[in-house]
């Protein structure tokens, strides 16, 4: 413990010689009480007054350290703002050391209202003192006193002994308590005045920029400290403490073109999702009181500037098509880098529009644009091409890195799409075309990237290949020939039998198209139907198929041959054509065939959007006697919802629904359940792709009505089908 003669030495330094130690401490308290008002009110330098009081207390109590800690509001930290050290030639100094609140306040023996905590031996395990802090700062004994506001600690006065354990006396506790009371009044009020001064400086900084919306950020932070009245009016929900990019970009990461990263006063043009406009933004460092710094961000709306109106899409902030092509061709012509064109589109965007409305679609586009922006590098270009399509001209080093990069973008988009809506899954298709050396025609790049995108079956990303180039060339040839081929009879109808599984007899036929392009050369539907669906020629093809089937049924009737219903696959474009019902009705009447012999097959996927128009067309044709089937059931996203609401007669289960014979108990139960469900809705069930008697028996046991597959015969000419039909 400290000896009395050591304390006497310390008191001599304070000018209290001749008094015993306790008396001198009482004298110090009286001096503090009498003079402190003058100390704080008659000086412009409150910091100096605080340092003076700490030095007086430290010397009077003969301690090793006297310090002030201030709790940071709404945080778990405290800062040592002032520190006096015994023997330090510079006396008391300002400090800014940060401590965790759990270290600043420990479980000790606070006594009554004084809120004093005293530890006589910091090395004692039972003291509750943070051993790590004690060793780091050489603290052997400590006493501190909280000062409070509204009953809650806002700061604390510390005294430390570095010379060894020390028994703190009641007089020493009184000294610390007296200083804490003084600081409770003056230090807290001084901090309040500083905050008011900071607000004044903020207002002054903003006032100097009256033509801008403004806000102030904490130094090295994106947390908003202050908001200008004009911005508050524009965005009423914004508040102090918000993170700027979460508000303006509606994202979890800072803006790629954030003005904070550009240096004082350097402007950045960015698109604000929250404000739904383009802004010119700049950031400037400003000084607040107490040596604090902050960042003033100012921006102005530039949406009305003609150049931006012409060059930028108002929703995504990307370039418009014209501006994009102009800049892209300049980059390609300049050379020096490898470029690839990425074509991104959202599947069933029209369905989203019907379900959620235009405003939601705009928000989705903004979010998608934000995700794409985060994946772009400086100098790369992006464009909103049309509705849901976005083009990105990106640099790349080699094919492997390009593939990894675009796959990363696709993964981000697909993951976002899974959880964006409860009742709609947003999926994406992306195609990428790596430009060849010297290739500078941006239209050619876009076309090839689009070809790669169209090669995606459901979702995902595809990079353009030589095989696609060959197929593109082939498609060009087919497009040049298709109209003449239809006129000259190169398209021929084939038929595949459908069998009643109970009787084993042919119950119907499915019509299929083949293109005899030249003697010995026949193209299958997979070679040309996707092209026709893309270029719109599928309308003429469907009309041709319906008329050919009507002619075939008419011939069977006239020749007295057996007649069975014949199904025809119909594209969505035709079903949504307002003239389609009338065209079918006219053909039935023209060829005088029983309407029930005509069955129209619709793919499940066309019912994922607005079905009201389709159901009206289906019901109109069913009233005539035409029947309907859903084709490829089980390949879509929501099959149960489809069959529940549609007035159809036959459900065709896709051959891949179960691609093996030896089903588990669960798979067998599921198959049986799906068949029963369809039949409970007054539908017959047809299973495609039956190739063995074992499969047939399995489906018969499950209750399936009809079967189709090579077990009964593949696609064949109309004459061969009629002979098979007549022979049973």
């Amino acid at each position: 413990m400290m000896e009395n003669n050591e304390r006497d030495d310390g008191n001599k330094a304070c000018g209290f010689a001749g008094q015993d130690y306790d008396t001198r401490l009482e004298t110090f308290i009286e001096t503090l009480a009498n003079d402190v008002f003058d100390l704080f009110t008659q000086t412009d330098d409150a910091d100096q007054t605080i340092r003076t009081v700490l030095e007086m207390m430290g010397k009077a109590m003969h301690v090793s350290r006297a310090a002030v800690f201030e709790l940071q509001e709404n945080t778990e930290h405290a800062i040592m703002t002032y520190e006096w050290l015994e023997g330090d030639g510079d006396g008391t100094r300002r400090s800014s050391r940060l401590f965790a609140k759990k270290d600043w306040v420990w479980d000790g023996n606070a006594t009554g209202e004084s809120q004093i905590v005293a530890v006589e031996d910091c090395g004692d395990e039972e003291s509750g003192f943070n051993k790590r802090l004690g060793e780091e700062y050489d603290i052997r004994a400590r006493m501190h006193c909280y000062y409070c506001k509204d009953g809650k600690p806002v700061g604390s006065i510390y005294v430390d002994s570095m010379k060894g354990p020390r028994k703190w006396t009641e007089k020493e506790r009184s000294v610390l308590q007296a200083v804490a009371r003084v600081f409770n009044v003056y230090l807290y009020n001084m901090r309040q005045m500083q905050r008011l001064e900071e607000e004044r400086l903020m207002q002054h900084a903003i006032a100097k920029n009256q033509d801008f919306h403004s806000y102030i950020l904490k130094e090295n932070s994106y947390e908003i400290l202050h908001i200008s009245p004009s911005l508050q009016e524009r965005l009423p929900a914004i508040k102090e403490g918000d993170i700027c990019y979460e508000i303006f970009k509606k994202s979890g990461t800072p803006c790629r073109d954030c003005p904070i990263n550009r240096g004082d006063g350097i402007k950045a043009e960015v698109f604000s999702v929250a404000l739904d406009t383009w802004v010119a933004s700049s950031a400037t460092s400003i000084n607040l009181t107490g040596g604090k710094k902050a960042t003033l961000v100012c921006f102005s709306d530039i949406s009305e500037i003609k150049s931006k109106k012409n060059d930028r899409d108002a929703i995504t902030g990307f370039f418009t098509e014209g501006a994009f092509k102009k800049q892209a061709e300049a980059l390609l012509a300049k050379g020096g880098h490898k470029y690839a064109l990425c074509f991104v589109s959202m599947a069933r965007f029209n369905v989203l529009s019907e379900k959620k409305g235009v405003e939601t679609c705009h928000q989705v586009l903004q979010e998608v644009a934000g995700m794409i922006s985060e994946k772009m590098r400086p100098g790369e270009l992006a464009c909103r091409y049309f509705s849901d399509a976005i083009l990105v001209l990106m640099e790349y080093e080699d094919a492997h890195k390009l593939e990894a990069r675009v796959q990363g973008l696709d993964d981000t988009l697909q993951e976002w799409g899974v959880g964006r809506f409860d009742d709609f899954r947003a999926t994406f298709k992306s195609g990428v075309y790596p430009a060849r050396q010297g290739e500078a025609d941006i239209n050619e790049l876009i076309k090839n990237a689009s070809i790669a995108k169209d090669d995606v079956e459901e979702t995902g990303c595809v990079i353009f290949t030589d095989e696609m180039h060959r197929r593109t060339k082939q498609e060009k040839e087919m497009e040049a020939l298709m109209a003449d081929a239809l006129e000259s009879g190169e398209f021929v109808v084939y038929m595949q039998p459908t069998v009643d599984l109970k009787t084993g007899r042919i119950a119907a036929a499915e019509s299929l198209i083949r293109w005899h392009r030249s003697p010995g050369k026949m193209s299958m539907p997979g070679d040309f139907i996707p092209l026709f669906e893309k270029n719109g020629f599928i309308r003429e093809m469907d009309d041709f198929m319906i008329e050919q089937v009507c002619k075939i049924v008419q011939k069977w009737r006239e020749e007295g041959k057996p007649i069975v219903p014949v199904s025809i696959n119909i594209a969505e474009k035709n079903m949504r054509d307002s003239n389609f019902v009338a065209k079918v009705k006219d053909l039935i009447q023209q060829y005088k065939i029983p309407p029930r012999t005509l069955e129209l097959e619709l793919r499940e996927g066309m019912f994922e959007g607005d079905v009201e128009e389709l159901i009206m067309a289906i019901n109109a044709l069913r009233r005539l006697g035409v029947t309907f089937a859903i084709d490829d059931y089980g390949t879509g996203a929501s099959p149960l919802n489809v069959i529940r609401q549609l007035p159809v007669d036959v459900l065709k289960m896709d051959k891949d629904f179960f691609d093996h014979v030896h089903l588990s108990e669960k798979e067998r139960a599921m198959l049986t359940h799906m068949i029963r469900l369809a039949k409970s809705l007054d539908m017959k069930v047809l299973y495609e792709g039956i190739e063995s008697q074992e499969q047939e028996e399995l489906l018969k046991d499950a209750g399936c009505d009809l079967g189709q597959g090579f077990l009964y015969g593949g696609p064949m000419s109309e004459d061969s089908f009629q002979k098979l039909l007549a022979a049973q």
Side-chain angles (χ1 to χ4, degrees), residues 454-525:
D454 292 340
D455 203 60
V456 180
E457 291 187 6
E458 295 292 337
T459 65
C461 180
V462 169
I463 296 179
F464 189 88
T465 63
D466 290 339
E467 169 60 23
M468 292 179 194
H469 183 70
R470 183 198 62 77
R471 191 169 69 239
T472 302
K473 184 178 179 181
Q474 186 182 53
E475 287 181 350
K476 285 184 177 179
E477 294 174 357
M478 286 193 292
E479 283 187 313
L481 298 172
M482 60 189 185
D484 289 340
L486 186 62
E487 187 70 25
S488 61
E490 292 182 15
F491 291 99
V492 179
V493 175
Y494 277 56
M495 293 191 173
Q496 185 172 14
T498 297
V499 171
D500 186 322
L501 295 182
K502 288 183 180 178
T503 65
R505 296 176 62 84
I506 297 174
E510 180 179 4
S511 63
L512 304 164
I513 190 72
R514 300 291 186 268
W515 186 356
H516 292 271
R517 299 179 64 183
S518 60
K521 184 178 181 181
M522 181 172 68
S523 294
M524 305 298 285

Side-chain angles (χ1 to χ4, degrees), residues 125-271:
E125 295 289 343
E126 297 182 0
S127 69
F129 189 73
N130 187 310
K131 187 175 181 181
R132 177 187 59 80
L133 278 182
E135 293 175 351
E136 183 177 350
Y137 291 96
D138 194 24
I139 304 171
R140 306 298 302 281
R142 165 170 283 189
M143 180 170 60
H144 79 135
C145 183
Y146 300 118
Y147 59 92
C148 303
K149 185 66 176 177
D150 299 326
K152 295 181 180 179
V154 293
S156 186
I157 311 300
Y158 281 78
V159 288
D160 291 335
S161 170
M162 300 178 184
K163 297 177 180 179
R166 175 167 173 169
K167 185 176 182 179
W168 302 102
T169 69
E170 288 301 321
K171 290 295 182 184
E172 289 169 338
R173 293 170 185 259
S174 299
V175 168
L176 194 62
Q177 184 178 2
V179 173
R181 286 174 178 169
V182 169
F183 280 23
N184 192 27
V185 175
Y186 293 101
L187 185 57
Y188 185 80
N189 288 342
M190 184 180 77
R191 291 289 177 245
Q192 292 297 97
M193 293 298 294
Q194 285 179 341
R195 291 188 184 97
L196 292 174
E197 177 63 11
E198 287 175 3
E199 290 186 6
R200 187 190 68 78
L201 288 173
M202 290 180 188
Q203 294 287 0
H204 179 68
I206 291 173
K208 291 172 64 177
N209 297 276
Q210 296 180 28
D211 296 333
F212 297 90
H213 297 305
S214 309
Y215 57 94
I216 292 178
L217 301 176
K218 281 186 178 180
E219 184 183 16
N220 300 322
S221 169
Y222 296 97
E223 182 180 339
I224 297 175
L225 284 176
H226 196 82
I227 307 141
S228 70
S230 62
L231 180 57
Q232 189 75 73
E233 183 177 352
R234 186 79 177 266
L235 292 175
I238 191 173
K239 62 185 182 300
E240 293 178 13
D242 283 340
I243 304 301
C244 62
Y245 53 78
E246 293 178 354
I247 295 298
F248 297 106
K249 186 186 173 191
K250 295 189 182 298
S251 169
T253 57
C255 304
R256 184 170 63 92
D257 294 322
C258 179
I260 296 174
N261 302 324
R262 291 177 168 246
D264 279 6
I266 299 177
K267 287 187 177 181
E269 293 182 354
V270 297
F271 186 82

Side-chain angles (χ1 to χ4, degrees), residues 555-566:
K555 185 180 74 166
W556 290 347
R557 288 191 68 194
E558 291 175 350
E559 295 176 354
K561 294 179 179 179
I563 298 175
V564 293
V566 181

Side-chain angles (χ1 to χ4, degrees), residues 168 200 211 276 280 314 337 397 409 548 574 597 640:
W168 302 102
R200 187 190 68 78
D211 296 333
D276 194 23
H337 296 280
E397 295 79 30
L409 172 60
Q548 290 303 303
N574 259 321
T597 59
L640 291 176

Side-chain angles (χ1 to χ4, degrees), residues 565-579:
V566 181
S567 64
I568 309 162
N569 274 286
I570 302 298
E572 183 174 357
K573 285 185 173 69
N574 259 321
M575 282 302 299
R576 292 186 181 275
D577 185 342
S578 59
N579 296 320

Side-chain angles (χ1 to χ4, degrees), residues 24 53 95 116 125 212 224 263 268 285 320 390 397 400 405 458 496 519 533 537 564 581 613 624 717 723 726:
R24 291 164 185 168
V53 172
S95 178
I116 288 179
E125 295 289 343
F212 297 90
I224 297 175
S285 296
T320 57
I390 292 175
E397 295 79 30
H400 178 72
R405 188 179 176 198
E458 295 292 337
Q496 185 172 14
E533 288 180 335
F537 194 67
V564 293
V581 172
E613 185 180 50
L624 294 175
S717 67
K723 290 177 182 178

Side-chain angles (χ1 to χ4, degrees), residues 75 80 215 368 379 387 425 507 540 543 547 613 635 722:
T75 74
M80 180 191 288
Y215 57 94
V368 169
S387 66
R425 180 173 179 177
E540 286 83 349
D543 291 347
E547 185 164 10
E613 185 180 50
T635 61
Q722 183 53 238

